[in-house]
């Protein structure tokens, strides 16, 4: 199983040059059965990563480009009267897929954004008294532009909380960009390395990773710090502590361990908590991120 | 300088300072007290803003000057006195730099030391209570500073709560703590408070100094002696220079020998009873005793039958004394008796002509010399002689003067006259000074003998033994039977002028009861508290121990030591507060202590593995071991699925690895 993971990572890194940390986190997020939010400026490779991820894991995916005039039905699907059958039939929207690539999610109106809420949390949608289960696995990989760009609606805290992780890609290194421009770098065709069944197995394996009391106490101290420290305006929710643990477990799994260490928690901490700590204000430009302040305030050795 | 003291704190400080000064007023030089009052006044002025704070140089120079003055004034008085003066001076000068809470702590602690010093000099229950009050006041200062938020009532409440809580500890310490002998020499000069002196000149005393101060208390095991038999012998005066009776040099020599512990062989025959004396401190070696005494405490019997303690009695001290009917072994040869017939002008025979004439007449009439002495006593009894504490002064020929003209006096006058006549008649005779009588407390448990019970009587050598004759008894039998108050014709003479003494008001029912009550309390205080010494401690322990068969003394001491050590260790290390570190954490801490200063400090949020990795980059030769250490550490600490045997294997590995890393990091 682990060599598969190495292959997956290798392939992803071949698509996105010099972003090992981000690709690893993205994979962690999917292994921990969480939704991923990729936030960065346009043209940084957000969509490329999302697509590569879906393809590499052998999942079928739908891409939806969010716009400001988009309606919930455009995502969930719509019931249309069928003349032959003399009844309404439900036409599934793009959400009925394994990976939903929600491109530029913050361009859509809050109404549309909230249509995703139930789908993301409950993994089912309800339309016209009918409840339709979504496929398993089901991931939302959303990309988002920074909010200070024109024509964006900031995601509300409730919806931010449903994303397990938010990652930023950042500019590529000079060497990677040079390599890209010279055209020497030819992305190989991204092929599926595993299928969705294998992914399910991996997710099950992630759930068996152990977390000792020591590491759980460390995690709880971190969460508590966010609740009692003065500088944190948004405290971390119990849901956050739950997903933090699953993410850490997935990280441990990727690192080929069957137990969680504080390093795992620290590795995923920023991605899991930054968007929750900052809330609608988005990430701060410059200065230390809140998650880093929090990490440096809690001693793992206590 | 902002004022940190509240008005309440400062007044408490000044007030308790004043009380400490009052307590120690007897012991210290008046100049020192003036210094202290000035310092306190300065501090109050600083509080009210009338003066400004002194700088350090001025404060220090004032201190140095004061210390120099005081030491120059008292350096002759012995180490303890110098010490008391210097401490009190420091205590006073503290007013000049009462700038922070720490200074107040210093002040309070010094005050407590001074209260303890006061208790070195004073042992009565009244004084102990006074000292306790002052100590409580000093503690109250601390409360008023640290509990400034509380009002006075709750401060008092808290103080009493603290005192009550600390009481059991105090009792345990009192019972268990070993009593050490004092480490200083008590100053002996100017301290003789006894009503007895080692020389008496009857002619020159116009008024007997009376003091109601306690001399000693006695409690008897068994039947107490009757009034006539309560002659407490203290010292023998056997030398007469015409005016003054004093101790002869041979007796003094013997006393000095006794102090060194050498004593004459003698045998005591026929034990009669035993009693316990609780002697008030008088800074001399005297131990009053009934004839003939033996004491198991450090003391020895002199050839004149008086008892001497080896160390001066400088604190309330108990003596267990056995009374014997006879003593054997002190041989009095004719030669040794010679000194008891010594008179200064015997050969010249020009002094006291009237007395000599009276004797010569009797002798010429063929009367036996012992009969002459009896006739003298009859003369005292039947004649116009009067017992008074305010006798007229006697002239040059004092015996003549007393016998034939003034005919008024107290014990010393009668004793000395009788002695003179006996010695003229060549009968060996000596004066004995001591106490007569004493006063029973209400429940007849103990006898209090006061300084005004001091008495002098005579012993003459008759039928090869010393026979006690008390000439005063012939003048005033009440003196012997009932005590001094009843013996006085004019009772207003008694303790005249001492209006502050409760004894002065003995005729008042209420005061009398109060005096008796205080007396009793003080007696039990002396018996149970002051004289609670190592011996009693052992007794109580033994009594306790006999109830627990497996426990003997050495076991108990070991047990106590062990308990003490455990409590101290718990107190120091406070295991209930300590972080409970696992083995791997301790190993890491050990490693960390070695490398942190030299190489790298772990930031607060850094994990062990991360730290090891960073350190490995700095210290390349230890890199691989460090990474291994990190992995092992994480496994031991975080891999919950490990069995305990696997875990101990890993720990062993970690121990080895830590040592290796320490070595590698040394290079």
């Amino acid at each position: 199983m682990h060599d598969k993971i190495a292959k997956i990572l290798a392939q992803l890194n071949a698509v996105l040059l010099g972003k090992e940390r981000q690709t690893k986190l993205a994979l962690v997020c999917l292994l921990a059965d969480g939704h991923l939010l990729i936030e960065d400026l346009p043209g940084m490779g957000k969509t490329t990563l999302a697509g590569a991820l879906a393809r590499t894991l052998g999942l079928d995916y739908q891409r939806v480009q969010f716009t400001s005039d988009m309606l919930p039905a455009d995502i969930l699907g719509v019931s249309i009267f069928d003349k032959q059958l003399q009844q309404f039939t439900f036409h599934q929207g793009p959400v009925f897929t394994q990976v939903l690539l929600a491109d530029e999610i913050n361009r859509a109106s809050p109404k549309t954004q909230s249509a995703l809420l139930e789908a993301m949390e409950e993994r089912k949608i309800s339309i016209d008294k009918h409840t339709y289960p979504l496929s398993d696995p089901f991931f939302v990989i959303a990309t988002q532009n920074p909010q200070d760009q024109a024509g964006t609606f900031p995601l509300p805290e409730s919806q931010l909380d449903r994303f397990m992780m938010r990652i930023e890609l950042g500019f590529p290194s000079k060497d990677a960009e040079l390599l890209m421009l010279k055209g020497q770098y030819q992305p190989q065709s991204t092929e599926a390395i595993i299928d969705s069944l294998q992914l399910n197995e991996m997710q099950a394996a992630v759930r068996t990773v152990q977390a000792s009391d020591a590491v759980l106490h460390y995690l709880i101290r971190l969460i508590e710090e966010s609740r009692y420290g003065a500088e944190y305006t948004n405290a971390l929710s119990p849901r956050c502590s739950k997903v933090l643990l699953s993410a850490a477990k997935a990280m441990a799994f990727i690192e080929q361990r069957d137990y969680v260490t504080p390093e795992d928690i620290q590795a995923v901490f920023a991605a899991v908590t930054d968007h929750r700590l900052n809330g609608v204000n988005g990430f701060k430009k410059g200065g230390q991120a809140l998650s880093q302040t929090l990490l440096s305030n809690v001693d793992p050795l206590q | 300088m902002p004022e940190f003291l509240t008005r309440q704190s400062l007044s408490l400080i000044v007030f308790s300072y004043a009380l400490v000064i009052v307590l120690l007023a007897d012991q210290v030089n008046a100049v020192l007290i003036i210094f202290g009052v000035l310092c306190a006044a300065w501090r109050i002025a600083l509080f009210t803003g009338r003066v400004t704070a002194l700088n350090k140089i001025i404060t220090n120079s004032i201190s140095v000057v004061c210390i120099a003055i005081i030491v120059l004034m008292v350096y002759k008085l012995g180490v303890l006195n110098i010490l008391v003066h210097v401490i009190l001076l420091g205590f006073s000068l503290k007013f000049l730099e009462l700038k922070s809470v720490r200074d107040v702590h210093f002040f309070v602690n010094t005050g407590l030391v001074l209260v303890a010093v006061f208790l070195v000099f004073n042992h009565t229950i009244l004084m102990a209570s006074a000292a306790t009050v002052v100590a409580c006041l000093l503690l109250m200062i601390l409360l008023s500073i640290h509990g400034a938020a509380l009002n006075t009532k709750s401060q008092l409440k808290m103080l009493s709560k603290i005192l009550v809580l600390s009481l059991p500890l105090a009792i345990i310490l009192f019972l268990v703590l070993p009593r050490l002998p004092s480490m200083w020499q008590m100053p002996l000069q100017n301290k003789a408070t006894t009503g007895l002196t080692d020389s008496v000149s009857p002619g020159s005393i116009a008024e007997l100094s009376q003091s109601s101060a306690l001399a000693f208390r006695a409690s008897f095991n068994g039947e107490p002696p009757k009034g006539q038999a309560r002659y407490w012998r203290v010292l023998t005066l056997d030398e007469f220079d015409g005016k003054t009776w004093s101790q002869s040099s041979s007796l003094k020599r013997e006393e000095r020998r006794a102090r060194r512990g050498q004593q004459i062989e003698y045998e005591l025959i026929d034990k009669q009873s035993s009693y316990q004396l609780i002697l008030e401190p008088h800074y001399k070696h005297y131990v009053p005793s009934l004839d003939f005494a033996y004491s198991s405490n450090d003391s020895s019997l002199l050839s004149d039958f008086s008892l001497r303690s080896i160390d001066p009695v400088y604190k309330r001290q108990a003596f267990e004394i056995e009374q014997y009917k006879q003593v054997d072994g002190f041989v009095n040869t004719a030669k040794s008796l010679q000194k008891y017939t010594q008179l200064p002008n015997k050969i010249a025979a020009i002094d006291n002509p009237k007395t000599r004439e009276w004797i010569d007449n009797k002798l010429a009439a063929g009367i036996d010399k012992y009969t002459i002495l009896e006739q003298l006593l009859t003369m005292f009894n039947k004649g116009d002689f009067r017992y008074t504490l305010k006798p007229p002064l006697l002239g040059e020929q004092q015996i003549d003067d007393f016998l034939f003209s003034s005919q008024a006096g107290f014990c010393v006058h009668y004793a000395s006259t009788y002695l003179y006549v006996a010695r003229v008649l060549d009968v060996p005779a000596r004066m004995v000074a001591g106490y007569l009588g004493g006063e029973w407390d209400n429940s007849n448990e103990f006898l209090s003998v006061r300084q005004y019970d001091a008495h002098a009587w005579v012993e003459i050598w008759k039928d090869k033994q010393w026979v006690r004759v008390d000439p005063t008894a012939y003048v005033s039998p009440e003196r012997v039977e009932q005590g001094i108050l009843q013996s006085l014709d004019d009772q207003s003479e008694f303790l005249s002028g001492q209006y502050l003494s409760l004894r002065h008001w003995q005729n008042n029912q209420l005061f009398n009861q109060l005096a008796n009550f205080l007396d009793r309390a003080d007696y039990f205080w002396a018996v149970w508290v002051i004289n609670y010494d190592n011996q009693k401690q052992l007794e109580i322990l033994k009594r306790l121990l006999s109830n627990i068969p497996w426990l003997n003394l050495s076991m108990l001491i070991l047990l106590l030591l062990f308990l003490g050590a455990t409590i101290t260790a718990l107190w120091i290390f406070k295991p209930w507060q300590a972080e409970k570190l696992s083995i791997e954490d301790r190993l890491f801490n050990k490693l960390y202590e070695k490398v942190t200063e030299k190489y790298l400090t772990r930031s607060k949020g850094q994990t062990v593995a991360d730290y090891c990795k960073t350190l490995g980059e700095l210290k390349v030769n230890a890199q691989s071991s460090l990474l291994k250490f990190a992995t092992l550490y994480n496994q031991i600490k975080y891999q919950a699925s490990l069995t305990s045997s696997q875990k101990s294997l890993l720990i062993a590995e970690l121990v080895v690895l830590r040592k290796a890393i320490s070595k590698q990091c040394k290079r």
Side-chain angles (χ1 to χ4, degrees), chain A residues 210 212 214-215 218 258-263 266 295-301, chain B residues 585 588 602 604-610 631 633-635 637-641:
Chain A
Q210 288 170 338
S212 65
V215 88
Y218 174 52
D258 62 350
Y259 57 92
V260 182
T261 66
E263 291 82 47
Q266 293 194 346
L295 273 182
S296 61
N297 278 343
V298 178
D299 190 346
L301 284 196
Chain B
D585 278 335
F588 172 70
R602 186 177 74 92
K604 198 181 173 194
Q606 202 170 16
T607 63
V608 171
D610 196 23
T631 319
Y633 174 91
N634 273 352
Q635 251 181 305
K637 182 146 190 182
Y638 301 113
Q639 193 170 8
S641 62

Side-chain angles (χ1 to χ4, degrees), chain A residues 8-302:
Chain A
I8 295 169
L9 282 174
Q11 182 162 310
L12 288 177
N13 286 331
V15 173
L16 209 63
L17 285 177
K19 295 287 168 206
E20 285 82 6
R21 198 178 72 84
Q22 284 82 349
T23 51
K24 198 187 249 181
L25 281 172
L27 184 60
V28 161
C29 185
L30 298 197
L31 285 179
D33 206 5
H35 306 292
L36 181 65
L37 178 64
I38 307 174
E39 177 174 299
D40 219 320
L41 299 166
M44 303 291 275
K46 300 187 290 285
T47 318
T48 316
L49 175 63
L53 207 53
R55 279 196 302 279
T56 311
L57 297 180
L59 306 171
D60 46 275
Y61 77 104
Q62 297 275 355
R63 178 183 165 159
V64 183
Q65 185 71 38
F66 278 44
T67 56
S68 52
D69 57 352
M70 210 174 194
L71 291 173
D74 295 332
I75 301 172
L76 304 179
V78 66
S79 295
I80 294 170
F81 189 75
D82 190 325
K83 265 193 227 157
Q84 278 147 19
L85 292 174
Q86 288 292 306
Q87 63 179 15
F88 281 94
T89 48
F90 181 62
H91 287 254
Q92 295 184 337
V95 77
F96 289 89
T97 180
Q98 285 175 317
V99 174
L100 177 69
L101 192 58
D103 232 354
E104 306 201 40
I105 189 171
N106 58 344
R107 289 209 178 277
S109 63
K111 184 181 179 183
T112 316
Q113 285 173 358
S114 63
L116 265 176
L117 277 177
E118 191 192 2
M120 286 170 73
E121 186 61 21
E122 312 284 330
R123 291 167 194 257
K124 61 185 188 327
I125 55 167
S126 308
I127 288 174
D128 298 342
K129 296 181 188 169
H130 289 283
T131 302
Y132 304 94
L134 297 177
S135 62
D136 184 36
F138 171 72
F139 299 118
V140 174
I141 300 178
T143 68
Q144 158 168 276
N145 288 326
Q147 285 143 23
D148 46 2
Q149 290 217 335
T152 58
F153 297 92
L155 283 176
E157 276 97 350
S158 60
Q159 198 156 358
L160 276 174
D161 200 32
R162 274 148 224 261
F163 286 101
M164 176 181 263
M165 284 189 187
R166 191 210 59 171
I167 56 177
E168 291 153 35
L169 290 176
F171 295 113
S173 67
K174 206 167 71 182
D175 294 343
E177 201 156 5
L178 199 65
L179 217 59
M180 185 187 82
L181 288 180
K182 278 183 175 170
Q184 286 174 352
Y185 154 67
Q186 293 292 329
Q188 293 149 359
S189 56
T190 44
E191 57 193 26
I193 292 173
I194 54 170
D195 54 23
S196 63
L197 274 178
Q198 280 174 313
L199 182 64
N200 275 340
E201 273 171 36
M202 282 185 181
Q203 285 178 338
V206 163
R207 281 192 287 273
T208 62
V209 169
Q210 288 170 338
S212 65
D213 282 355
V215 88
L216 287 179
H217 281 132
Y218 174 52
L219 193 150
I220 293 211
R221 282 203 303 276
L222 287 170
I223 301 283
E224 293 261 289
E225 171 73 13
S226 82
R227 294 176 188 167
Y228 300 114
E231 58 265 62
Y232 316 107
T233 41
N234 296 312
L236 296 175
S237 64
R239 180 195 280 150
C240 173
S241 52
K242 222 168 93 184
V243 298
L244 184 59
L245 182 61
S246 348
K249 280 181 173 178
M251 186 54 109
F253 179 76
I254 288 181
E255 300 287 350
Q256 309 189 6
R257 260 185 281 107
D258 62 350
Y259 57 92
V260 182
T261 66
E263 291 82 47
D264 297 330
I265 294 181
Q266 293 194 346
V268 299
F269 192 75
V272 173
T273 59
D274 246 353
H275 58 296
R276 299 171 211 262
L277 287 169
N278 288 325
V280 279
N281 302 324
F283 64 102
K284 272 188 216 149
K285 292 265 159 53
Q288 204 182 20
L290 272 179
S291 62
Q292 290 310 309
T293 321
L294 212 161
L295 273 182
S296 61
N297 278 343
V298 178
D299 190 346
L301 284 196
Q302 252 171 30

